[in-house]
Amino acid sequence: MKDFKGKVAVVTGGGSGLGRAMALTFAGEGMDVAIADVDLGAADKVAGEIRAKGQRAITANVDVTNRAAMGAFADRVYGELGGCHVLCNNAGVSTFIPVHQLSEADWDWVVGVDLLGVLYGIQAFLPRMITQKQGGHIVNTSSIAGQVPLSGIVPYHAAKYAVVGLTESLVIDLKSENISASALCPGLVKTGIGSSGRARPDRFGGPTAPDPVQAAVDSSGYDPMDVAALVLKAVREDVTWILTHPEYRPQIEARRDKILAAYDWAKAG
Ligand SMILES: NC(=O)c1ccc[n+]([C@@H]2O[C@H](COP(=O)([O-])OP(=O)(O)OC[C@H]3O[C@@H](n4cnc5c(N)ncnc54)[C@H](O)[C@@H]3O)[C@@H](O)[C@H]2O)c1
């Protein structure tokens, strides 16, 4: 996608962190922006920043795990902003709990937000993006945890690998519609992810306080605006995997080599 001016970006989880950074970055390119977030106050603040740049912005209190609410959000975006050209399925959460101690609600929450949230975004917006016949780009926020295994975040891994697979399929299946897709796969970025329990809906057990490990996550890593700049470049140049942290390259290579070695093992019979 080369032209952004006058078009519309939709960002889930746009009230904080990477979503806020993407919303501001696309607004900086002359796009109007719609933000869905369970934290409406945070989303409204970002909308204020966007309006100060001279762009239109709307917000909605939407839980991405609610399929009907995502559909209603899409109706509003099309009604009030007239389209969707860049769809950022970005809202995400994580637990930092050993796999054998996870509750059913922990699993449901993380897989619900990180995988089903992406799916519901696609279901709500993609058919209309196709009908509007103006092309577009879908950015699904995965993680480096969607590329290489890391410890202590099993449901997060499951969802983030799935998001990468889903995105790769979209790239193939949507070519003829002039719509492309990217999977954003960052390492640590300075955001509120470590305290994502603050936004945990009641039906998944309600808000939880961050533990010290989680708090440390929030104060480390890349600047989200730098990551968002790379997202913009990837959308412009149609790059499928947005890999921000070069320090993970050896782990990606090691995983690839192990997979290929498994073929050799099978052949050796
Ligand atoms: N921060 C990192 O180090 C990092 C690394 C890799 C991937 N990511 C991914 O980046 C994405 C954004 O997270 P972040 O790091 O900016 O964290 P963040 O907590 O700063 O922002 C997440 C936003 O999503 C919102 N949200 C949470 N649950 C929601 C729900 N059910 N429905 C709608 N909105 C919801 C929150 O209110 C918040 O505004 C996530 O998908 C996360 O997995 C983050």
Side-chain angles (χ1 to χ4, degrees), residues 17-66:
L18 282 164
R20 171 182 174 273
M22 285 191 275
L24 293 175
T25 298
F26 285 118
E29 295 300 303
M31 298 186 85
D32 296 329
V33 182
I35 298 172
D37 203 298
V38 284
D39 185 343
L40 187 60
D44 283 340
K45 251 172 120 175
V46 178
E49 293 180 83
I50 291 168
R51 290 183 196 116
K53 289 176 187 283
Q55 297 308 129
R56 290 187 296 169
I58 63 170
T59 59
N61 185 354
V62 175
D63 176 353
V64 295
T65 69
N66 183 333

Short mmCIF file of all heavy atoms in Angstrom, two decimals, residues 17-66:
data_model
loop_
_atom_site.label_atom_id
_atom_site.label_comp_id
_atom_site.label_asym_id
_atom_site.label_seq_id
_atom_site.Cartn_x
_atom_site.Cartn_y
_atom_site.Cartn_z
N GLY A 17 0.65 1.50 24.41
CA GLY A 17 1.76 0.74 23.85
C GLY A 17 1.87 0.74 22.33
O GLY A 17 1.84 1.80 21.68
N LEU A 18 1.97 -0.44 21.76
CA LEU A 18 2.17 -0.58 20.31
C LEU A 18 0.96 -0.09 19.53
O LEU A 18 1.09 0.48 18.44
CB LEU A 18 2.46 -2.04 19.97
CG LEU A 18 3.90 -2.50 20.27
CD1 LEU A 18 4.00 -4.02 20.26
CD2 LEU A 18 4.86 -1.90 19.25
N GLY A 19 -0.25 -0.33 20.05
CA GLY A 19 -1.45 0.11 19.35
C GLY A 19 -1.51 1.62 19.28
O GLY A 19 -1.79 2.20 18.22
N ARG A 20 -1.20 2.27 20.39
CA ARG A 20 -1.17 3.75 20.41
C ARG A 20 -0.14 4.24 19.39
O ARG A 20 -0.42 5.16 18.61
CB ARG A 20 -0.82 4.24 21.81
CG ARG A 20 -0.54 5.72 21.88
CD ARG A 20 -0.14 6.19 23.30
NE ARG A 20 0.25 7.59 23.29
CZ ARG A 20 1.48 8.01 23.04
NH1 ARG A 20 2.46 7.15 22.80
NH2 ARG A 20 1.75 9.31 23.04
N ALA A 21 1.03 3.61 19.40
CA ALA A 21 2.10 4.04 18.49
C ALA A 21 1.68 3.87 17.03
O ALA A 21 1.94 4.74 16.19
CB ALA A 21 3.38 3.25 18.79
N MET A 22 1.02 2.77 16.71
CA MET A 22 0.57 2.56 15.32
C MET A 22 -0.51 3.57 14.95
O MET A 22 -0.52 4.13 13.85
CB MET A 22 0.07 1.12 15.13
CG MET A 22 1.22 0.12 15.07
SD MET A 22 0.72 -1.52 14.55
CE MET A 22 0.18 -2.24 16.07
N ALA A 23 -1.43 3.82 15.89
CA ALA A 23 -2.51 4.79 15.63
C ALA A 23 -1.93 6.17 15.33
O ALA A 23 -2.31 6.82 14.35
CB ALA A 23 -3.45 4.85 16.84
N LEU A 24 -0.96 6.60 16.14
CA LEU A 24 -0.35 7.92 15.93
C LEU A 24 0.46 7.96 14.64
O LEU A 24 0.45 8.96 13.91
CB LEU A 24 0.55 8.27 17.13
CG LEU A 24 -0.17 8.51 18.46
CD1 LEU A 24 0.84 8.73 19.59
CD2 LEU A 24 -1.11 9.72 18.36
N THR A 25 1.14 6.86 14.35
CA THR A 25 1.98 6.81 13.15
C THR A 25 1.13 6.87 11.89
O THR A 25 1.44 7.63 10.96
CB THR A 25 2.85 5.53 13.17
OG1 THR A 25 3.69 5.60 14.33
CG2 THR A 25 3.71 5.40 11.93
N PHE A 26 0.05 6.11 11.85
CA PHE A 26 -0.81 6.14 10.65
C PHE A 26 -1.52 7.50 10.55
O PHE A 26 -1.70 8.02 9.45
CB PHE A 26 -1.79 4.97 10.65
CG PHE A 26 -1.11 3.67 10.29
CD1 PHE A 26 -1.07 2.60 11.18
CD2 PHE A 26 -0.50 3.52 9.05
CE1 PHE A 26 -0.41 1.42 10.86
CE2 PHE A 26 0.15 2.33 8.71
CZ PHE A 26 0.19 1.28 9.61
N ALA A 27 -1.89 8.08 11.69
CA ALA A 27 -2.48 9.43 11.66
C ALA A 27 -1.48 10.43 11.10
O ALA A 27 -1.84 11.34 10.34
CB ALA A 27 -2.93 9.84 13.06
N GLY A 28 -0.21 10.23 11.45
CA GLY A 28 0.86 11.10 10.94
C GLY A 28 0.99 11.04 9.42
O GLY A 28 1.54 11.95 8.80
N GLU A 29 0.49 9.97 8.83
CA GLU A 29 0.50 9.83 7.36
C GLU A 29 -0.76 10.39 6.73
O GLU A 29 -1.02 10.19 5.54
CB GLU A 29 0.64 8.34 6.99
CG GLU A 29 1.96 7.73 7.39
CD GLU A 29 3.15 8.43 6.74
OE1 GLU A 29 3.20 8.51 5.51
OE2 GLU A 29 4.03 8.93 7.50
N GLY A 30 -1.62 11.01 7.55
CA GLY A 30 -2.84 11.62 7.01
C GLY A 30 -4.04 10.69 7.02
O GLY A 30 -5.03 10.94 6.33
N MET A 31 -3.98 9.64 7.83
CA MET A 31 -5.11 8.71 7.92
C MET A 31 -6.04 9.10 9.08
O MET A 31 -5.58 9.60 10.11
CB MET A 31 -4.64 7.27 8.14
CG MET A 31 -3.78 6.72 7.02
SD MET A 31 -3.39 4.97 7.25
CE MET A 31 -4.84 4.19 6.54
N ASP A 32 -7.34 8.86 8.91
CA ASP A 32 -8.26 8.90 10.03
C ASP A 32 -8.16 7.56 10.77
O ASP A 32 -7.82 6.54 10.16
CB ASP A 32 -9.69 9.14 9.54
CG ASP A 32 -9.83 10.50 8.87
OD1 ASP A 32 -9.13 11.44 9.28
OD2 ASP A 32 -10.64 10.61 7.93
N VAL A 33 -8.47 7.57 12.06
CA VAL A 33 -8.18 6.37 12.87
C VAL A 33 -9.38 6.00 13.75
O VAL A 33 -9.99 6.87 14.37
CB VAL A 33 -6.93 6.59 13.76
CG1 VAL A 33 -6.61 5.32 14.55
CG2 VAL A 33 -5.72 7.00 12.93
N ALA A 34 -9.67 4.71 13.80
CA ALA A 34 -10.67 4.19 14.73
C ALA A 34 -9.96 3.28 15.73
O ALA A 34 -9.19 2.41 15.33
CB ALA A 34 -11.73 3.41 13.96
N ILE A 35 -10.24 3.50 17.00
CA ILE A 35 -9.57 2.73 18.05
C ILE A 35 -10.60 1.95 18.87
O ILE A 35 -11.57 2.52 19.36
CB ILE A 35 -8.80 3.68 19.01
CG1 ILE A 35 -7.71 4.42 18.24
CG2 ILE A 35 -8.21 2.91 20.18
CD1 ILE A 35 -7.03 5.51 19.07
N ALA A 36 -10.37 0.66 19.01
CA ALA A 36 -11.19 -0.17 19.90
C ALA A 36 -10.32 -0.60 21.07
O ALA A 36 -9.19 -1.06 20.87
CB ALA A 36 -11.69 -1.40 19.15
N ASP A 37 -10.86 -0.44 22.26
CA ASP A 37 -10.06 -0.84 23.44
C ASP A 37 -11.02 -1.09 24.60
O ASP A 37 -12.09 -0.46 24.67
CB ASP A 37 -9.05 0.28 23.79
CG ASP A 37 -7.86 -0.24 24.60
OD1 ASP A 37 -8.07 -0.75 25.72
OD2 ASP A 37 -6.73 -0.15 24.12
N VAL A 38 -10.65 -1.96 25.52
CA VAL A 38 -11.46 -2.13 26.73
C VAL A 38 -11.24 -0.97 27.70
O VAL A 38 -12.01 -0.79 28.64
CB VAL A 38 -11.17 -3.46 27.46
CG1 VAL A 38 -11.82 -4.64 26.75
CG2 VAL A 38 -9.69 -3.69 27.66
N ASP A 39 -10.16 -0.22 27.49
CA ASP A 39 -9.89 0.96 28.31
C ASP A 39 -10.25 2.19 27.47
O ASP A 39 -9.42 2.75 26.75
CB ASP A 39 -8.40 0.97 28.71
CG ASP A 39 -8.07 2.12 29.65
OD1 ASP A 39 -8.87 3.07 29.75
OD2 ASP A 39 -7.00 2.06 30.29
N LEU A 40 -11.52 2.60 27.60
CA LEU A 40 -12.02 3.70 26.75
C LEU A 40 -11.32 5.02 27.07
O LEU A 40 -11.04 5.81 26.16
CB LEU A 40 -13.54 3.85 26.92
CG LEU A 40 -14.21 4.85 25.98
CD1 LEU A 40 -14.01 4.46 24.51
CD2 LEU A 40 -15.71 4.96 26.28
N GLY A 41 -11.01 5.24 28.34
CA GLY A 41 -10.32 6.48 28.73
C GLY A 41 -8.99 6.60 28.01
O GLY A 41 -8.64 7.67 27.48
N ALA A 42 -8.24 5.49 27.97
CA ALA A 42 -6.94 5.51 27.30
C ALA A 42 -7.13 5.73 25.80
O ALA A 42 -6.40 6.51 25.17
CB ALA A 42 -6.21 4.18 27.55
N ALA A 43 -8.14 5.06 25.22
CA ALA A 43 -8.40 5.22 23.77
C ALA A 43 -8.77 6.67 23.46
O ALA A 43 -8.30 7.24 22.45
CB ALA A 43 -9.51 4.27 23.35
N ASP A 44 -9.59 7.29 24.32
CA ASP A 44 -10.01 8.67 24.09
C ASP A 44 -8.82 9.63 24.12
O ASP A 44 -8.76 10.60 23.36
CB ASP A 44 -11.05 9.09 25.13
CG ASP A 44 -12.42 8.50 24.82
OD1 ASP A 44 -12.67 8.11 23.67
OD2 ASP A 44 -13.26 8.43 25.75
N LYS A 45 -7.87 9.33 25.01
CA LYS A 45 -6.66 10.18 25.10
C LYS A 45 -5.88 10.14 23.79
O LYS A 45 -5.43 11.16 23.27
CB LYS A 45 -5.76 9.67 26.23
CG LYS A 45 -5.74 10.60 27.44
CD LYS A 45 -5.03 9.98 28.57
CE LYS A 45 -3.83 10.78 29.03
NZ LYS A 45 -3.26 10.16 30.24
N VAL A 46 -5.74 8.93 23.25
CA VAL A 46 -5.01 8.77 21.97
C VAL A 46 -5.78 9.47 20.85
O VAL A 46 -5.19 10.14 19.99
CB VAL A 46 -4.78 7.28 21.66
CG1 VAL A 46 -4.05 7.11 20.33
CG2 VAL A 46 -3.98 6.62 22.78
N ALA A 47 -7.11 9.34 20.89
CA ALA A 47 -7.93 10.02 19.87
C ALA A 47 -7.70 11.52 19.93
O ALA A 47 -7.62 12.19 18.88
CB ALA A 47 -9.40 9.69 20.08
N GLY A 48 -7.55 12.06 21.13
CA GLY A 48 -7.26 13.50 21.30
C GLY A 48 -5.95 13.86 20.63
O GLY A 48 -5.84 14.89 19.94
N GLU A 49 -4.94 13.00 20.79
CA GLU A 49 -3.63 13.26 20.17
C GLU A 49 -3.76 13.25 18.65
O GLU A 49 -3.11 14.01 17.94
CB GLU A 49 -2.62 12.19 20.61
CG GLU A 49 -2.24 12.23 22.08
CD GLU A 49 -1.23 11.14 22.43
OE1 GLU A 49 -0.03 11.35 22.21
OE2 GLU A 49 -1.66 10.05 22.91
N ILE A 50 -4.61 12.35 18.14
CA ILE A 50 -4.80 12.23 16.68
C ILE A 50 -5.53 13.46 16.14
O ILE A 50 -5.14 14.03 15.12
CB ILE A 50 -5.55 10.93 16.36
CG1 ILE A 50 -4.64 9.73 16.65
CG2 ILE A 50 -6.03 10.91 14.90
CD1 ILE A 50 -5.34 8.40 16.64
N ARG A 51 -6.56 13.89 16.86
CA ARG A 51 -7.31 15.08 16.41
C ARG A 51 -6.39 16.31 16.41
O ARG A 51 -6.50 17.18 15.55
CB ARG A 51 -8.53 15.31 17.30
CG ARG A 51 -9.59 14.24 17.07
CD ARG A 51 -10.86 14.48 17.89
NE ARG A 51 -11.65 13.25 17.93
CZ ARG A 51 -11.93 12.54 19.03
NH1 ARG A 51 -11.51 12.95 20.23
NH2 ARG A 51 -12.64 11.42 18.95
N ALA A 52 -5.46 16.34 17.38
CA ALA A 52 -4.52 17.47 17.42
C ALA A 52 -3.63 17.49 16.18
O ALA A 52 -3.07 18.52 15.82
CB ALA A 52 -3.66 17.38 18.68
N LYS A 53 -3.50 16.34 15.51
CA LYS A 53 -2.72 16.27 14.26
C LYS A 53 -3.59 16.65 13.06
O LYS A 53 -3.15 16.62 11.92
CB LYS A 53 -2.21 14.84 14.02
CG LYS A 53 -1.10 14.36 14.93
CD LYS A 53 -0.81 12.87 14.60
CE LYS A 53 0.18 12.24 15.57
NZ LYS A 53 1.57 12.64 15.31
N GLY A 54 -4.89 16.91 13.32
CA GLY A 54 -5.78 17.33 12.23
C GLY A 54 -6.54 16.19 11.58
O GLY A 54 -7.25 16.39 10.60
N GLN A 55 -6.44 14.99 12.15
CA GLN A 55 -7.15 13.84 11.58
C GLN A 55 -8.40 13.54 12.40
O GLN A 55 -8.49 13.88 13.57
CB GLN A 55 -6.23 12.61 11.57
CG GLN A 55 -5.00 12.77 10.71
CD GLN A 55 -5.30 13.21 9.30
OE1 GLN A 55 -4.71 14.15 8.80
NE2 GLN A 55 -6.25 12.54 8.64
N ARG A 56 -9.33 12.82 11.78
CA ARG A 56 -10.51 12.37 12.52
C ARG A 56 -10.15 11.12 13.33
O ARG A 56 -9.32 10.30 12.88
CB ARG A 56 -11.64 12.03 11.55
CG ARG A 56 -12.25 13.24 10.87
CD ARG A 56 -13.46 12.87 10.05
NE ARG A 56 -13.13 11.99 8.95
CZ ARG A 56 -14.03 11.35 8.21
NH1 ARG A 56 -15.32 11.47 8.46
NH2 ARG A 56 -13.66 10.56 7.21
N ALA A 57 -10.78 10.98 14.47
CA ALA A 57 -10.55 9.77 15.28
C ALA A 57 -11.84 9.41 16.01
O ALA A 57 -12.53 10.29 16.53
CB ALA A 57 -9.44 10.02 16.30
N ILE A 58 -12.17 8.12 16.00
CA ILE A 58 -13.30 7.66 16.81
C ILE A 58 -12.81 6.53 17.73
O ILE A 58 -11.82 5.85 17.42
CB ILE A 58 -14.51 7.18 15.96
CG1 ILE A 58 -14.15 5.96 15.10
CG2 ILE A 58 -15.04 8.31 15.10
CD1 ILE A 58 -15.38 5.32 14.44
N THR A 59 -13.51 6.36 18.84
CA THR A 59 -13.11 5.32 19.79
C THR A 59 -14.34 4.47 20.16
O THR A 59 -15.48 4.95 20.05
CB THR A 59 -12.55 5.93 21.10
OG1 THR A 59 -13.56 6.76 21.67
CG2 THR A 59 -11.31 6.74 20.84
N ALA A 60 -14.10 3.27 20.58
CA ALA A 60 -15.18 2.42 21.04
C ALA A 60 -14.69 1.52 22.16
O ALA A 60 -13.55 1.02 22.11
CB ALA A 60 -15.71 1.57 19.88
N ASN A 61 -15.54 1.33 23.14
CA ASN A 61 -15.23 0.42 24.24
C ASN A 61 -15.59 -0.99 23.79
O ASN A 61 -16.73 -1.43 23.93
CB ASN A 61 -16.04 0.84 25.47
CG ASN A 61 -15.68 0.01 26.68
OD1 ASN A 61 -14.91 -0.95 26.59
ND2 ASN A 61 -16.24 0.37 27.82
N VAL A 62 -14.61 -1.68 23.21
CA VAL A 62 -14.87 -3.00 22.62
C VAL A 62 -13.89 -4.02 23.18
O VAL A 62 -12.68 -3.78 23.21
CB VAL A 62 -14.70 -2.95 21.07
CG1 VAL A 62 -14.84 -4.34 20.47
CG2 VAL A 62 -15.71 -2.01 20.45
N ASP A 63 -14.43 -5.15 23.61
CA ASP A 63 -13.60 -6.30 23.98
C ASP A 63 -13.46 -7.15 22.72
O ASP A 63 -14.46 -7.64 22.19
CB ASP A 63 -14.30 -7.07 25.11
CG ASP A 63 -13.57 -8.34 25.50
OD1 ASP A 63 -12.59 -8.72 24.82
OD2 ASP A 63 -14.01 -8.97 26.48
N VAL A 64 -12.23 -7.33 22.25
CA VAL A 64 -12.03 -8.04 20.97
C VAL A 64 -12.46 -9.51 21.03
O VAL A 64 -12.58 -10.16 20.00
CB VAL A 64 -10.57 -7.94 20.46
CG1 VAL A 64 -10.20 -6.52 20.12
CG2 VAL A 64 -9.59 -8.57 21.46
N THR A 65 -12.68 -10.04 22.22
CA THR A 65 -13.15 -11.42 22.32
C THR A 65 -14.66 -11.52 22.12
O THR A 65 -15.22 -12.62 22.16
CB THR A 65 -12.79 -12.06 23.68
OG1 THR A 65 -13.57 -11.44 24.71
CG2 THR A 65 -11.31 -11.92 24.00
N ASN A 66 -15.30 -10.38 21.92
CA ASN A 66 -16.75 -10.33 21.72
C ASN A 66 -17.03 -10.14 20.21
O ASN A 66 -16.92 -9.02 19.69
CB ASN A 66 -17.34 -9.19 22.55
CG ASN A 66 -18.84 -9.11 22.45
OD1 ASN A 66 -19.44 -9.52 21.46
ND2 ASN A 66 -19.46 -8.56 23.48
#
